[in-house]
């Protein structure tokens, strides 16, 4: 097969007739290689046009703005205090000089808002996060959890940065378990106020972005307590609600009475964001400061809500905050693209060793290097299309408020955020190692990318917790399937694939090893979905068995690793389905061929990495497993031949790459110049 593939290069791309005495094979291959490079610019341009979102012009305008303002560009070395002030100046300039209105965009066109966030994060990840704190979290909580009176009072001030604010949810003792927060908001019917109080040190609000230096307001999540309305005249705990609490004077910026603010200090990364800790000592706020979309308190202290239970109100409250997860998943792909771009360009530039008495070869010509970087490049494309789909779904959800779509986006945003950020975090370290000693230089950015991105795995929901939400929803859908109910759109495939799973694997197709079969998207998607269905069925059986002796919580904990694997498998199926659909939708034939190559590598690399699962159930016979392995290596080699074009198609300007070894040209010259030569 290897010889046939080599010969096909000659047949499909024949070279000019060789001169007498020349070696036919070398002349033909060189000719084919040359033509591939000559057409590379066209391929890159066509790919870039297809990848380019409809808001690329907005991003380019912001790139040009920062390029023209060297005073706003983040240097390699910067003290924490200086970085915080620079980050705030960057945000102010973005809003007040570049004319961006992020909250308006988030409200009217979420896709453009996420494009702005990605561009800001490209300039400095701290800036992207600070923008997210101000608008996704503080602004988003006001417009999504509040009502018209809150929008009228705060919208413009948040949008133009007159009202910089915080999102005070996490406490010292509780992060992921939001329902267990201890901060209280007790209603005082005499003065018509809520009293915000931190009952103990464990309830101190912790890691609150914008709190240490710049914030003037905070959306504080606290337990709403109504005196004398519980059983026997006891206080009634109505569950977690959100309140607007001023924390600094609008004019003097002095911390307001009853509030204590301390700095969380220097962090591993994101030191442009000022994280602080907040303690409240009987801080009084007007009753109108309750963000009352899902629950309200009248002047006489009566509680009303359109939702009947604490759990339903809590779910609705958190459901309105999924935009943060969507933004993190989207921006994490941007970070992955930067890391892969630097690593691949350096691998093409760097030459080490070679055949005896011949020139050294590019390190990307080594199979080991291809296996490190090419599946990662393929994943960058897969994640790009998946997050574009997620943003589109989120935008549609905000327009329609369709309940099924809301549930779909909630689970998809949880799964994609968890899966993509975990993958990106691991990939940055691999890219650093792939660049050898030069990857260790701070100017080449891997250290900053790794440190700044690392927390993406934790904030807006710990990844392990989010994957459990995905698994929980899959089990709910599984139960609905056997009750004859309908499945939500993204889970429709379970109806068919569960039926396939319950039948034994076909012993004939399990042995098929032809390249056409292995590169058939139907085979690839069926394999992904079969694995998910099998995992779902088996974990459901295990949970049922263990719950009899361990109870629901104990059974879940006993099966936790199984559940996490199930969630990841499902998300991989969703990503592949979107990638295949994006390949089919590509209008240009050559671009479609390039994307198909990348999609095949993504799919088969994932299957090979979990080949044990497929072998254990005889879904893949030994000969087929071997063929998948060989084809994955071959596809990595094929992607390597167009790696430069695939990277250039990301269309990332030097302002965003910044690493000397990742520049499109004169990389070594820029590197030596930076050092001082």
């Amino acid at each position: 097969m290897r010889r046939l593939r080599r010969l096909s290069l000659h047949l499909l791309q024949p070279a000019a007739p060789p001169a007498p005495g020349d070696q036919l094979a070398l002349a033909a291959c060189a000719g084919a290689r040359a033509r591939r490079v000559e057409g590379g610019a066209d391929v890159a341009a066509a790919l870039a046009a297809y990848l380019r979102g409809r808001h690329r012009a907005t991003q380019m305008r912001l790139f040009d703005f920062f390029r023209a303002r060297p005073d706003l560009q983040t240097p390699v070395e910067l003290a924490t205090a200086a970085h915080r002030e620079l980050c705030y100046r960057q945000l102010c300039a973005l809003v007040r000089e570049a004319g961006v209105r992020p909250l308006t965009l988030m409200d009217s066109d979420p896709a453009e808002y996420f494009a702005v966030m990605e561009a800001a994060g490209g300039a400095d990840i701290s800036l992207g996060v600070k923008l997210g704190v101000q608008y996704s979290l503080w602004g988003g909580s006001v417009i999504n959890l509040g009502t018209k009176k809150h929008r009228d009072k705060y919208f413009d001030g948040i949008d133009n940065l007159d009202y910089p604010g915080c999102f005070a949810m996490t406490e010292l003792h509780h992060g992921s378990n939001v329902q267990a927060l201890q901060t209280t908001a007790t209603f005082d019917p005499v003065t018509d106020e809520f009293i915000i109080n931190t009952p103990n040190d464990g309830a101190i609000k912790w890691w609150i972005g914008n709190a240490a230096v710049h914030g003037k307001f905070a959306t504080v999540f606290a337990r709403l307590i109504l005196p004398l309305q519980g059983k026997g005249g006891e206080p009634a705990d109505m569950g977690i609600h959100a309140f607007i609490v001023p924390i600094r004077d609008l004019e003097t910026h002095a911390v307001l009475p009853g509030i204590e603010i301390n700095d969380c200090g220097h962090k591993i990364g994101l030191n442009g964001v000022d994280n602080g800790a907040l303690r409240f000592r009987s801080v009084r706020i007007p009753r109108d400061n309750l963000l009352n979309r899902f629950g309200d308190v009248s002047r006489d202290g009566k509680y009303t809500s359109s939702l009947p239970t604490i759990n339903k109100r809590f779910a609705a409250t958190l459901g309105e905050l999924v935009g943060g997860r969507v933004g993190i998943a989207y921006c994490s792909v941007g970070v992955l693209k930067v890391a892969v771009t630097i690593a691949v360009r350096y691998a093409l530039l760097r030459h080490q060793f070679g055949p005896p008495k011949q020139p050294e070869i590019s390190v990307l010509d080594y199979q080991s290097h291809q296996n490190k970087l090419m599946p990662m490049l393929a994943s960058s494309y897969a994640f790009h299309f998946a997050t574009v789909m997620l943003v589109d779904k989120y935008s549609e959800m905000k327009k329609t408020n369709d309940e099924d779509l809301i549930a779909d986006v909630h689970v998809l945003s949880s799964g994609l955020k968890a899966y993509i950020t975990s993958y990106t975090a691991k990939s940055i370290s691999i890219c650093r190692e792939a660049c050898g000693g030069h990857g260790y230089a701070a100017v080449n950015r891997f250290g900053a990318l790794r440190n700044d991105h690392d927390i993406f795995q934790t904030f807006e929901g710990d990844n392990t917790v989010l994957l459990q939400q995905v698994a929980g929803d899959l089990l709910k859908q599984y139960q609905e399937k056997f009750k004859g109910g309908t499945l939500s759109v993204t889970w429709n495939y379970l109806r068919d694939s569960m039926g396939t799973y319950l039948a034994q694997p076909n012993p004939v197709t399990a042995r098929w090893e032809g390249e056409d079969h292995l590169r058939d998207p139907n085979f690839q998607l069926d394999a992904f979905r079969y694995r998910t269905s099998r995992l779902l069925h088996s974990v459901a059986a295990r949970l049922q068995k263990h719950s009899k002796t361990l109870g629901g919580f104990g059974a879940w904990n006993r099966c936790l690793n199984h559940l996490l694997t199930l969630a990841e498998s499902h998300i991989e199926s969703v990503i592949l389905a979107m990638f295949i659909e994006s390949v089919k939708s590509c209008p240009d034939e050559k671009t479609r061929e390039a994307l198909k190559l990348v999609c095949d590598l993504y799919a088969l690399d994932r299957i090979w990495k979990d080949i044990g699962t497929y072998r254990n159930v005889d879904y893949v016979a030994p000969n087929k497993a071997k063929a998948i392995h060989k084809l994955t290596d071959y596809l990595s080699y094929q992607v390597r031949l167009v790696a430069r074009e695939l990277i250039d198609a990301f269309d990332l300007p030097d302002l965003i790459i910044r690493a000397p070894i990742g520049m499109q040209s004169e990389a070594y010259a820029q590197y030596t110049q930076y050092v001082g030569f």
Side-chain angles (χ1 to χ4, degrees):
M1 288 300 296
R2 185 168 63 253
R3 289 170 180 168
L4 285 172
R5 291 186 190 114
R6 294 292 182 273
L7 287 169
S8 71
L9 294 177
H10 301 272
L11 295 172
L12 297 174
Q13 296 179 310
D22 283 356
Q23 296 182 43
L24 176 63
L26 289 177
C29 288
R33 182 76 173 270
R35 278 190 294 279
R36 194 176 290 116
V37 174
E38 285 169 11
D42 294 336
V43 174
L47 275 169
Y50 187 58
L51 293 178
R52 200 171 289 138
R54 65 181 186 274
H55 299 298
R56 183 62 175 176
T58 299
Q59 291 186 319
M60 294 307 296
R61 183 170 67 84
L62 296 181
F63 294 154
D64 291 340
F65 174 76
F66 280 108
R67 188 181 294 108
R69 293 288 302 275
D71 60 306
L72 296 178
Q73 296 173 17
T74 305
V76 176
E77 299 179 50
L78 196 61
T80 296
H83 196 177
R84 288 174 172 180
E85 287 310 307
L86 173 61
C87 194
Y88 188 60
R89 283 197 295 112
Q90 289 171 332
L91 184 58
C92 289
L94 193 73
V95 172
R96 295 170 180 169
E97 298 177 43
V100 177
R101 285 292 179 267
L103 195 61
T104 298
L105 292 178
M106 190 178 78
D107 194 39
S108 61
D109 188 353
E112 186 169 5
Y113 169 73
F114 291 127
V116 167
M117 180 184 282
E118 182 186 30
D124 186 337
I125 299 179
S126 284
L127 173 60
V129 172
K130 195 170 183 72
L131 183 147
V133 169
Q134 172 68 13
Y135 297 105
S136 294
L137 299 182
W138 155 233
S141 64
V142 171
I143 65 175
N144 291 321
L145 301 181
T147 49
K148 184 177 183 299
K149 63 184 179 183
H150 301 109
R151 176 184 284 264
D152 292 344
K153 183 174 181 179
Y154 293 100
F155 191 99
D156 290 340
I158 295 172
D159 210 10
N160 62 25
L161 270 181
D162 285 346
Y163 294 167
C166 319
F167 184 82
M169 179 180 280
T170 299
E171 296 177 355
L172 179 62
H173 283 185
H174 290 94
S176 298
N177 189 3
V178 178
Q179 280 188 295
L181 297 179
Q182 299 177 69
T183 301
T184 58
T186 305
F187 182 64
D188 183 348
V190 176
T191 61
D192 196 26
E193 294 173 317
F194 285 103
I195 304 170
I196 310 297
N197 196 53
T198 303
N200 54 64
D201 286 353
I204 295 172
K205 296 295 182 182
W206 209 274
W207 291 125
I208 310 305
N210 273 359
V213 180
H214 300 123
K216 296 179 185 291
F217 294 88
T219 294
V220 176
F221 287 80
R223 315 193 75 81
L224 196 164
I225 307 297
L226 296 177
L228 306 176
Q229 294 195 25
K231 291 182 180 179
E234 292 292 316
D237 184 344
M238 307 309 296
I240 302 298
H241 289 65
F243 303 82
I244 296 175
V245 181
I247 59 173
R248 288 186 175 92
D249 188 275
L250 282 174
E251 301 298 327
T252 66
H253 203 61
V255 177
L256 294 175
I259 296 172
E260 182 182 352
I261 304 177
N262 285 294
D263 196 324
C264 288
H266 187 77
K267 306 184 292 291
I268 290 174
L270 291 181
N271 282 299
V273 182
D274 51 310
N275 293 88
L278 300 169
R279 184 200 293 272
F280 303 97
R281 292 187 171 91
S282 300
V283 176
R284 290 179 173 268
I285 58 172
R287 178 170 54 88
D288 278 351
N289 282 27
L290 166 65
L291 294 172
N292 61 338
R293 179 178 171 187
F294 298 116
D296 201 4
V297 175
S298 63
R299 177 64 185 88
D300 59 358
K302 293 291 188 294
Y303 184 84
T304 57
S305 174
S306 58
L307 300 170
T309 66
I310 287 178
N311 285 341
K312 286 187 179 295
R313 291 193 293 271
F314 177 74
T317 297
L318 292 194
E320 284 299 319
L321 304 175
V322 299
R325 291 175 192 162
V326 176
I328 288 172
Y330 191 77
C331 291
S332 182
V333 179
V335 175
L336 179 61
K337 288 177 183 176
V338 171
V340 172
T341 296
I342 297 170
V344 170
R345 283 183 177 164
Y346 178 72
L348 289 165
L349 170 74
R350 186 74 167 180
H351 288 68
Q352 295 289 294
F353 306 108
K357 298 181 181 179
Q358 291 188 35
E360 293 182 305
I361 66 170
S362 161
V363 296
L364 199 54
D365 286 328
Y366 289 100
Q367 188 184 60
S368 57
H369 223 70
Q370 292 168 13
N371 287 347
K372 280 181 185 177
L373 297 181
M374 295 304 97
M376 195 186 299
L377 176 55
S379 296
S380 303
Y381 272 80
F383 298 165
H384 169 89
F385 293 118
T387 51
V388 167
M389 172 273 295
L390 178 62
V391 169
D392 288 343
K393 275 183 175 283
Y394 177 77
S395 300
E396 184 65 21
M397 180 198 81
K398 298 301 288 184
K399 289 177 185 175
T400 64
N401 285 316
D402 180 81
E403 288 189 7
D404 290 338
L405 197 54
I406 289 171
D408 204 15
V409 169
H410 171 69
V411 179
L412 273 178
S413 63
S414 297
L416 286 171
K417 182 268 184 187
Y419 188 87
I420 291 172
T421 56
S422 293
Y423 184 92
T424 298
K426 295 180 181 76
S427 297
I428 294 170
S429 291
I430 294 171
C431 288
R432 204 293 302 158
E433 294 167 16
C435 292
H438 294 318
Y440 198 62
V443 70
N444 288 321
R445 300 206 58 209
F446 290 117
L449 289 172
R450 180 179 58 202
N451 292 346
D452 286 348
H453 177 275
D454 195 62
I455 194 62
F456 280 38
Q457 300 174 92
T458 302
F459 60 20
E460 288 298 307
D462 175 84
N463 284 356
T464 301
V465 175
L466 294 182
L467 288 174
Q468 289 180 71
Q469 292 182 13
V470 175
D473 196 75
L474 283 166
L475 287 163
K476 179 183 174 183
Q477 298 284 343
Y478 178 77
Q479 188 178 32
E480 290 294 322
K481 189 256 190 231
F482 284 102
K483 287 181 178 177
T486 58
L487 300 177
S488 62
V489 177
T490 309
W491 284 255
N492 271 339
Y493 75 84
L494 288 173
R495 181 182 294 108
D496 300 323
S497 55
M498 277 309 302
T500 303
Y501 162 69
L502 293 173
Q504 291 299 312
N506 187 323
V508 177
T509 57
R511 297 187 62 82
W512 285 356
E513 58 180 75
E515 184 172 332
D516 288 345
H517 168 66
L518 297 180
R519 296 186 69 173
D520 183 344
N522 292 322
F523 158 71
Q524 296 164 2
L525 202 50
D526 284 348
F528 275 50
R529 290 173 169 177
Y530 180 88
R531 177 184 57 169
T532 303
S533 297
R534 182 175 183 82
L535 286 165
L536 178 55
H537 183 79
S538 57
V539 80
R542 288 186 66 206
L543 285 168
Q544 187 176 31
K545 171 188 171 185
H546 290 304
S547 61
K548 295 175 182 176
T549 55
L550 301 176
F553 182 85
W556 186 271
N557 193 34
R558 174 67 66 87
C559 300
L560 188 52
N561 290 335
H562 194 158
L563 290 160
L564 297 177
T565 303
L566 164 66
E568 290 177 342
S569 177
H570 169 65
I571 293 301
E572 287 183 351
S573 299
V574 172
I575 292 170
L576 178 61
M578 286 312 306
F579 201 170
I580 291 171
E581 185 60 35
S582 299
V583 173
K584 290 179 180 177
S585 302
C586 182
D588 179 71
E589 184 179 354
K590 287 188 176 179
T591 305
R592 192 164 58 248
E593 289 175 1
L595 287 175
K596 178 67 169 67
L597 172 66
V598 176
C599 185
D600 288 342
L601 175 58
Y602 172 79
L604 292 174
D605 178 70
R606 287 296 188 282
I607 292 173
W608 173 248
K609 281 184 167 57
D610 198 22
I611 198 67
T613 296
Y614 296 103
R615 283 289 302 114
N616 285 343
V617 296
D618 292 325
Y619 189 82
V620 170
N623 66 306
K624 189 169 186 173
K626 186 176 181 181
I628 290 170
H629 188 197
K630 285 186 175 181
L631 185 54
T632 302
D633 285 345
Y634 179 67
L635 292 175
S636 289
Y637 164 73
Q638 289 292 313
V639 171
R640 178 263 175 270
L641 297 179
V642 290
R644 189 186 305 277
E645 290 75 22
L646 292 169
I647 287 295
D648 290 347
F650 290 150
D651 199 19
L652 298 173
D654 289 348
L655 173 77
I656 302 303
I657 300 299
R658 295 200 291 283
I661 63 171
M663 295 293 105
Q664 285 183 291
S665 61
E666 304 292 332
Y668 278 137
Q670 294 193 47
Y671 194 17
T672 54
Q673 184 179 359
Y674 173 82
V675 172
F677 287 100

